[in-house]
Amino acid sequence: MTSPAGIAAAAVGKRILPVILSGGGGTRLWPLSRPACPKQFLPLIDARSMLQLTAARVGDRSLFAPPIVVGSAAQADLIERQLADAHSSPASLILEPCGRNTAPAIALAALVAPPDSLLLVMPSDHHIQYPDLFRQAVAAGAAAARGDWLVTFGIRPDRPETGYGYIRRGEAIGPGVFRADRFVEKPDAATAVAYLTDGSYDWNGGIFLFRAAALLNELAEHAPDILAVAQAALRDTGVEQRRVQPNAEAFASAPSQSIDRAVMERSRRVAVVPVDMGWSDVGSWDSLHTVASQDSDGNALQGAATAIETRNCLLHTDGPRLVTVGVEDLIVVVSGDAVLVMRRGESQRVGAIAAALEGGSS
Amino acid sequence: MTSPAGIAAAAVGKRILPVILSGGGGTRLWPLSRPACPKQFLPLIDARSMLQLTAARVGDRSLFAPPIVVGSAAQADLIERQLADAHSSPASLILEPCGRNTAPAIALAALVAPPDSLLLVMPSDHHIQYPDLFRQAVAAGAAAARGDWLVTFGIRPDRPETGYGYIRRGEAIGPGVFRADRFVEKPDAATAVAYLTDGSYDWNGGIFLFRAAALLNELAEHAPDILAVAQAALRDTGVEQRRVQPNAEAFASAPSQSIDRAVMERSRRVAVVPVDMGWSDVGSWDSLHTVASQDSDGNALQGAATAIETRNCLLHTDGPRLVTVGVEDLIVVVSGDAVLVMRRGESQRVGAIAAALEGGSS
């Protein structure tokens, strides 16, 4: 089933093959993240971008092969430059002609990968505070993945979050690995509280581990249209400098669907490895404030920011000097030609505000 | 006593001769006001600059002659351009080679003016909400000024302000005109409270009306050094295009002193005309917020500012888009290469902060 754009099995060997999904382009960190430079390319946590940190997490070449990166064609140069700087140049860079959510993107990666390889699928813009625990969980899940389980990683909830999917743990199927009894999309508030109380639900962190062939089999069963489109898009595809360019016309006909909905909610062979690794999707300014390093007054300062009698604020500036005096619980972002001043706790609204202001979509 | 740079008496006639002091260069409105563009040149209240509004207040040419403007040599072009745009080109633009506070500046103006002319001395960066009341007060003070009183204008205090000088009203010497019993510089907090309680103290708004010759006589008596320096600085002075350029070396030797200290505190012929004209020195962001027009949520928006669930804020931006969400009682200023976010009530500290940041003086 390997396409002409495929990676040779010998190049991967026994190693896990990371698949980094870099196609997202949200506006939830407006005005910092814009369509031209989404969150994964920004140095939000430290001097490295989120993409670079993601690649570094699987940078041990004795355990992990050079990654497959699936990203936007418009950002190919940016991706390659950032990964080269991080000494993680991809084995294959699959350039989506347009965004079609995660299921088509993962299908492309699974077709390019050796069928027997273990794919570790990761969003490019999540933060993981304890990467050692992450790698331990991956190792724990590997045996199940070799047995053709679709392995997910479950994040222990600390609040009734309605922005994430949830996974219910079933019986143990191995050390630290459980059958996933239910796989549910974002719940309403009451359901989220029930899940938190129940204790057997974890957040779906959007990180997956499976054999390429196993995922393709599940796609064939549950989402054959997506598999067919991905195969068609890769047919007669040219590969240049390790860049794979799927056929734009063919790929555009793919339904825009998440892998959660296309496969995980339907498959009977989904496993979950719970892991408490300090995960955050950094999906809002508030979550960035939580994740970023703070001074003794609870301020996270990024760029030329001066905080005078200021507490519990996130101050981010790309360049202009930012000075705050006598304020608390604010998020202040100075980026490009815009300035955002927002009370903490309001940042879920940023996407909608950015869309209204810039005429884009959140 | 008229110097070669003088204005002909016939050109003034019976009209009052405005003297606009434009030499100030504070940093209390940092980051908006900078040494290169102090407050008087900025459109803080409406589309016109404070200087233009000041000139417009005395723009009725049946009552007021074209003004004398005393300003910084570095800002000569800016002054002339702004006044030309406001149809108030000066009769004389006296260019201070360096700043020496108000006494030397006013001495220069009094020497350039016809000796018998009534000079109305005004700072260029104050706001007067009711200019009709101002002109009525000027008319009320004119008779006293012709009788060689130094007429000041007293602003009714509404708080125990320690940032202004105070004038104590004595007995009436004419309709709406009182002898000034005491003329005191900025008091401490307890004294300011006592003045407010007493009821017979007004703020010194820094606006004066006197005969040129009367002021020169008082200078000769109380500050002969300043008068001598001003005379020396104007000796053999060239006038070009109505620009008067005092001798830099001579002028630099003037003591830096306010007219309040040099003359008003010492003279026995100071009068005060109390007037409730909606005066503000716009000496801080807080006072600008008070003076500026506000929407129904108490927000004063200047420039491309969008206030979402925002109350009682001053939002000023020179260009970048400014968005606030869920905040209140903030002052946010986006100007040049700096952004200031400050709790309301803190703005007295801006001068010191600006000085610390930019290495300038407040």
Side-chain angles (χ1 to χ4, degrees), chain A residues 118-186:
Chain A
L118 280 197
L119 303 187
L120 176 60
V121 176
M122 301 177 288
S124 57
D125 59 352
H126 289 183
H127 176 65
I128 292 176
Q129 193 176 355
Y130 309 112
D132 283 348
L133 296 182
F134 169 61
R135 286 182 289 262
Q136 282 178 22
V138 169
R146 294 210 184 277
D148 283 353
W149 289 87
L150 307 182
V151 177
T152 64
F153 297 88
I155 316 295
R156 184 103 221 95
D158 58 10
R159 60 184 187 276
E161 174 67 52
T162 58
Y164 305 145
Y166 284 70
I167 306 168
R168 180 172 173 178
R169 289 188 303 282
E171 83 275 13
I173 58 173
V177 186
F178 301 81
R179 176 189 289 274
D181 262 1
R182 288 184 66 196
F183 203 95
V184 287
E185 278 277 359
K186 303 172 183 176

Side-chain angles (χ1 to χ4, degrees), chain A residues 6-30:
Chain A
I7 295 172
V12 178
K14 295 287 181 195
R15 298 178 295 179
I16 288 172
L17 176 50
V19 175
I20 300 176
L21 304 179
S22 180
T27 55
R28 292 183 296 172
L29 295 188
W30 184 91

Side-chain angles (χ1 to χ4, degrees), chain A residues 28-51:
Chain A
R28 292 183 296 172
L29 295 188
W30 184 91
L32 188 56
S33 81
R34 308 271 182 115
C37 193
K39 190 176 101 190
Q40 59 267 32
F41 302 113
L42 300 170
L44 296 178
I45 306 291
D46 67 16
R48 292 172 290 179
S49 74
M50 305 296 285
L51 172 65

